[in-house]
Amino acid sequence: AFTLVNEQGVVIEWNPASEQLTGIPASEVLGQFVWDVQLRVTSPEQVTPEIRDLMRHRIQSVLETGSSPLLGTYETEIKRADGKTIIVTQKLFTIKTAQGFQLGTITRDITLERQTQKDLKVSEERYRSLFENMSEGFALQEIIQDESGRVMDFRFLVANPAYEEHTGQKLKEIIGHTIRETMPNADQAMIERYGNVALTGKSLDFEYYSKTFNRHIRVRSFRPQPNQFASIFEDITERKQMEEKLRE
């Protein structure tokens, strides 16, 4: 939306995008003082004689001097003619003329962008809470290949607290490091099995017994994107104990 105000503070340009954005037709704006138009897009609870005088004083100062803290780009809310509040960015600038300065405004509706950002933040917080509090251990890794393409190592990108509980590997000691750095005696065959998941997309599902923690662990590994694999670690000790009792 584009608005242009002459040296006396009268609106002389109100393009179709301005009509669409505010819901106010050009016929109701052209020839009017801009501070009066500004009040029409201001929340009713903020419209007072003092506010009107302050707006008029600030705008007249800009038109006389061509400079003001008001100039530049900023974000604000405006009230449309239908009562709906939207979020916009406004860029204010002056144009030097023989009679003084004119004031131009470029306005863009960013309501959808801000709502999307808000929804994403809520979603991120929700999944972050789930990630940090889930009972299953989770880790995301990227593979490291040699010149022949053989997977020789993998690097930890992220892991949750439950991963530390299930594996005994401290998060601060593994994130950003490779498995060979944290476990020099890591089984090459196992590294290649995980690497195959990252390269082919074929998931992996197996169980093993941890002597260190005296637990039975189920591991499910899948590829979220090429050259990466994610692993979920689940403690299945109780299930294994129950199966043993049933066999007995």
Side-chain angles (χ1 to χ4, degrees):
F2 174 70
T3 305
L4 186 62
V5 178
N6 69 10
E7 297 83 353
Q8 289 74 46
V10 174
V11 179
I12 58 175
E13 181 66 43
W14 186 263
N15 72 345
S18 295
E19 294 183 314
Q20 182 179 3
L21 187 141
T22 65
I24 305 175
S27 59
E28 298 180 10
V29 175
L30 296 177
Q32 303 297 313
F33 285 114
V34 68
W35 41 85
D36 291 328
V37 176
Q38 186 66 32
L39 290 178
R40 293 189 61 178
V41 296
T42 303
S43 297
E45 60 272 15
Q46 297 178 345
V47 177
T48 64
E50 292 77 17
I51 291 295
R52 182 184 185 279
D53 290 341
L54 180 62
M55 286 184 179
R56 177 176 56 80
H57 174 74
R58 288 181 174 178
I59 293 173
Q60 286 179 333
S61 176
V62 174
L63 297 174
E64 291 173 2
T65 66
S67 63
S68 169
L70 293 175
L71 300 178
T73 303
Y74 60 94
E75 185 175 312
T76 187
E77 292 184 352
I78 66 172
K79 181 80 74 174
R80 285 174 41 87
D82 59 9
K84 180 182 178 181
T85 298
I86 62 174
I87 305 172
V88 300
T89 57
Q90 288 191 322
K91 180 178 182 179
L92 276 66
F93 56 94
T94 56
I95 302 173
K96 183 73 173 69
T97 69
Q99 291 76 36
F101 293 92
Q102 294 184 349
L103 179 64
T105 306
I106 297 174
T107 307
R108 186 169 68 90
D109 185 355
I110 60 169
T111 307
L112 181 59
E113 294 177 27
R114 289 293 176 265
Q115 184 60 48
T116 300
Q117 291 173 352
K118 181 179 179 181
D119 292 344
L120 283 173
K121 183 178 180 180
V122 170
S123 178
E124 288 172 356
E125 290 175 349
R126 182 183 301 119
Y127 283 104
R128 171 59 62 179
S129 177
L130 174 63
F131 177 75
E132 293 181 347
N133 293 284
M134 62 190 290
S135 59
E136 295 86 358
F138 177 89
L140 177 65
Q141 298 106 331
E142 62 179 1
I143 60 173
I144 300 173
Q145 300 168 273
D146 62 16
E147 295 180 356
S148 66
R150 185 185 182 191
V151 179
M152 302 300 297
D153 207 345
F154 56 79
R155 179 178 290 103
F156 290 89
L157 301 178
V158 65
N160 69 346
Y163 177 86
E164 180 176 309
E165 179 183 346
H166 286 309
T167 67
Q169 294 180 293
K170 301 297 183 182
L171 300 185
K172 63 181 180 180
E173 297 175 357
I174 65 172
I175 301 302
H177 297 282
T178 69
I179 189 66
R180 292 201 179 279
E181 289 174 337
T182 58
M183 297 178 63
N185 298 322
D187 182 13
Q188 175 61 28
M190 194 67 240
I191 291 176
E192 292 181 6
R193 288 185 68 187
Y194 282 123
N196 188 60
V197 175
L199 292 173
T200 67
K202 185 177 180 180
S203 300
L204 191 63
D205 192 332
F206 65 96
E207 300 174 2
Y208 75 96
Y209 174 71
S210 172
K211 294 181 179 179
T212 304
F213 297 97
N214 191 28
R215 294 175 182 173
H216 292 273
I217 305 294
R218 180 187 179 187
V219 181
R220 285 166 289 171
S221 186
F222 61 94
R223 181 176 72 172
Q225 64 181 36
N227 296 324
Q228 291 186 1
F229 67 93
S231 298
I232 298 175
F233 295 77
E234 180 184 3
D235 187 346
I236 58 171
T237 304
E238 289 186 7
R239 193 196 80 190
K240 284 292 187 180
Q241 290 173 344
M242 181 62 68
E243 290 175 353
E244 182 61 27
K245 289 180 180 179
L246 288 173
R247 279 195 296 270
E248 293 174 356

